[in-house]
Amino acid sequence: MSPTTPEKANILIVDDMEENLVALEAVLGSLDQRLVRARSGEEALKAMLRQEFAVVLLDVLMPGMDGFETAASIKRLDQTKDVPIILLTGTDADTDYIYRGYAIGAADFLTKPFDPWLLRTKVNVFLDLHRKNRQLAAQAEQLRRLLVGERTPAESTGPVGSSESAASTGDALDKPRGGTTGTGAVADGGERLAEITERLAQIELQLRDAEGTQSAELADRIAELERAVGSLRVGRDT
């Protein structure tokens, strides 16, 4: 069985000049991701409300809504505030530009003409972060399903309309799968707790490997939850 091909991420490139957009596409094309163009700040905001982006490359000097105003608008919207922004500016930019960009919430700043290798490297960092966040979100959803006793479509084996497939997620913790009762219910609950503990441990390891204070703090909280679930397993076995 061939390995699953990773889903391509969206990269938004924003510049009012066609030659700059072409240059960015040429530099980033080797990353094999989806490149989305925007010719203005307004167009960029519309694009970000329509789809999810891993990173935004945003030119500072644009007519109308400039890069700073666009970045500030992106950071004000709940749907887009966590998307990293790399600001791009000309060689005549002063230190006030850089300070203003970071104050707005930009993740990085590059001066034109930029080194292609450096730009790809910086974008790759945010692509990796995006992929890890997607993986953690998927694992968190799996964990949520385990905690409430909800099964994914792949786990469902009973026919549509059967009593097994019609069971509500709220009853799943009290009613074991397939109507198992007595000793079988206890065993089924123990297996569920063991699976939850294993998933928690996997998420904790990924967070430990990630950089940043927030990841470390979240890993500590996951570890506490892991210990709490372990205590429940011990209580059920005694």
Side-chain angles (χ1 to χ4, degrees):
M1 182 177 179
S2 60
T4 303
T5 303
E7 183 180 354
K8 292 184 178 182
N10 295 321
I11 300 173
L12 181 61
I13 53 177
V14 189
D15 201 301
D16 62 302
M17 300 183 67
E18 175 68 18
E19 56 266 34
N20 291 339
L21 291 172
V22 171
L24 287 170
E25 288 173 337
V27 171
L28 300 175
S30 61
L31 297 179
D32 195 27
Q33 305 298 317
R34 282 189 291 267
L35 302 177
V36 179
R37 285 183 168 204
R39 299 291 296 267
S40 66
E42 293 86 354
E43 192 176 331
L45 289 172
K46 290 179 181 178
M48 295 192 71
L49 292 174
R50 287 195 300 263
Q51 54 190 311
E52 180 183 359
F53 288 93
V55 62
V56 177
L57 279 69
L58 178 60
D59 184 45
V60 169
L61 299 177
M62 295 188 297
M65 181 184 288
D66 65 19
F68 293 123
E69 293 175 287
T70 304
S73 297
I74 291 172
K75 293 302 178 180
R76 279 196 296 267
L77 297 174
D78 288 339
Q79 184 176 336
T80 60
K81 65 182 181 180
D82 295 325
V83 180
I85 300 171
I86 299 177
L87 290 176
L88 307 174
T89 189
T91 54
D92 56 348
D94 55 28
T95 54
D96 289 341
Y97 268 40
I98 298 177
Y99 174 79
R100 186 179 174 189
Y102 285 130
I104 289 173
D108 213 332
F109 212 105
L110 279 178
T111 302
K112 302 175 185 176
F114 44 78
D115 179 81
W117 178 86
L118 180 60
L119 177 60
R120 281 193 296 267
T121 301
K122 288 179 179 290
V123 170
N124 247 330
V125 169
F126 294 114
L127 289 174
D128 288 340
L129 181 61
H130 178 72
R131 281 189 286 266
K132 288 180 179 178
N133 286 338
R134 292 289 297 270
Q135 290 171 357
L136 287 174
Q139 290 184 347
E141 173 61 17
Q142 292 175 347
L143 180 60
R144 184 194 68 80
R145 289 176 178 274
L146 286 170
L147 288 171
V148 302
E150 181 180 338
R151 294 192 297 172
T152 62
E155 294 175 317
S156 300
T157 55
V160 176
S162 67
S163 59
E164 188 175 353
S165 62
S168 67
T169 58
D171 293 338
L173 287 177
D174 300 323
K175 295 181 181 180
R177 300 174 187 175
T180 307
T181 58
T183 304
V186 173
D188 184 72
E191 291 174 0
R192 181 75 57 81
L193 287 174
E195 189 174 356
I196 292 172
T197 302
E198 182 179 353
R199 293 284 175 84
L200 285 170
Q202 292 172 354
I203 295 175
E204 182 191 355
L205 285 175
Q206 284 195 333
L207 288 169
R208 299 289 184 197
D209 291 338
E211 297 181 356
T213 305
Q214 290 184 342
S215 295
E217 292 175 350
L218 185 54
D220 290 338
R221 294 177 63 184
I222 292 292
E224 291 177 6
L225 183 56
E226 184 182 346
R227 288 192 291 271
V229 173
S231 299
L232 288 176
R233 291 179 61 193
V234 173
R236 291 179 65 95
D237 295 337
T238 56

